Amino acid sequence: MKKLLTVLCGVVIALSLFVTTGNTVKAAEPDDGCTCHELIPIQGAERNKIVAKFISSEVFKAKKLELLKSGNKWNGAHSIEVVLPAEGVTMIGVPFISADGIQAMYVFINGSFVGSVPAE
């Protein structure tokens, strides 16, 4: 009888672990007045069209030539990242690797070069 009671209590405890809904914790939304959105890279056919138009632009060709002459390496168009942060704004990041092996992202906004940042 004692073993039967132990088994029944074990079954009740096991079922209560699987049947109960649990406590879901919801993260608080930051209320700092910022309406910022996470920048999500564009992919697929839309990205390919933007990249094709971008790599044929004179601004990119001139910057690429300058960087290649200074010893940087470029992996090709497949490594270019495209982000649309706002309506009418296209942000393009082109990674280059320096002669020292340090990767940097060269950023173009609406086709104009704006600067570079160390890649993560």
Side-chain angles (χ1 to χ4, degrees), residues 27-34:
E29 293 286 330
D31 191 21
D32 57 0
C34 179

Side-chain angles (χ1 to χ4, degrees), residues 4 25 31-32 34 42 47 50 52 54 57 63-64 81 91-92 95 101 106-107 110 116 119:
L4 182 62
V25 178
D31 191 21
D32 57 0
C34 179
I42 303 299
R47 177 208 169 269
I50 294 169
F54 171 71
S57 71
K63 191 63 176 174
K64 178 181 149 190
E81 292 187 22
M91 189 163 69
I92 300 173
Y106 289 81
V107 181
N110 289 344
S116 66

Side-chain angles (χ1 to χ4, degrees), residues 4 15-18 22 31 34 51 69 77 79 98 113 118-120:
L4 182 62
L15 287 176
S16 69
L17 291 175
F18 294 112
D31 191 21
C34 179
V51 169
K69 283 184 178 179
S79 60
S98 71
F113 177 68
E120 297 177 1

Side-chain angles (χ1 to χ4, degrees), residues 11-113:
V11 169
V12 169
I13 291 172
L15 287 176
S16 69
L17 291 175
F18 294 112
V19 175
T20 59
T21 60
N23 184 9
T24 58
V25 178
K26 296 184 179 184
E29 293 286 330
D31 191 21
D32 57 0
C34 179
T35 58
C36 303
H37 301 285
E38 184 177 336
L39 299 177
I40 300 172
I42 303 299
Q43 296 180 355
E46 183 180 1
R47 177 208 169 269
N48 293 342
K49 289 176 189 176
I50 294 169
V51 169
K53 184 177 177 183
F54 171 71
I55 62 175
S56 65
S57 71
E58 291 302 319
V59 174
F60 174 70
K61 288 178 183 178
K63 191 63 176 174
K64 178 181 149 190
L65 184 63
E66 174 189 328
L67 291 168
L68 292 176
K69 283 184 178 179
S70 64
N72 290 304
K73 295 178 190 172
W74 182 45
N75 285 337
H78 70 278
S79 60
I80 294 176
E81 292 187 22
V82 179
V83 179
L84 303 174
E87 186 72 32
V89 178
T90 304
M91 189 163 69
I92 300 173
V94 184
F96 278 87
I97 301 172
S98 71
D100 301 331
I102 300 170
Q103 188 173 9
M105 186 71 75
Y106 289 81
V107 181
F108 297 80
I109 296 180
N110 289 344
S112 300
F113 177 68

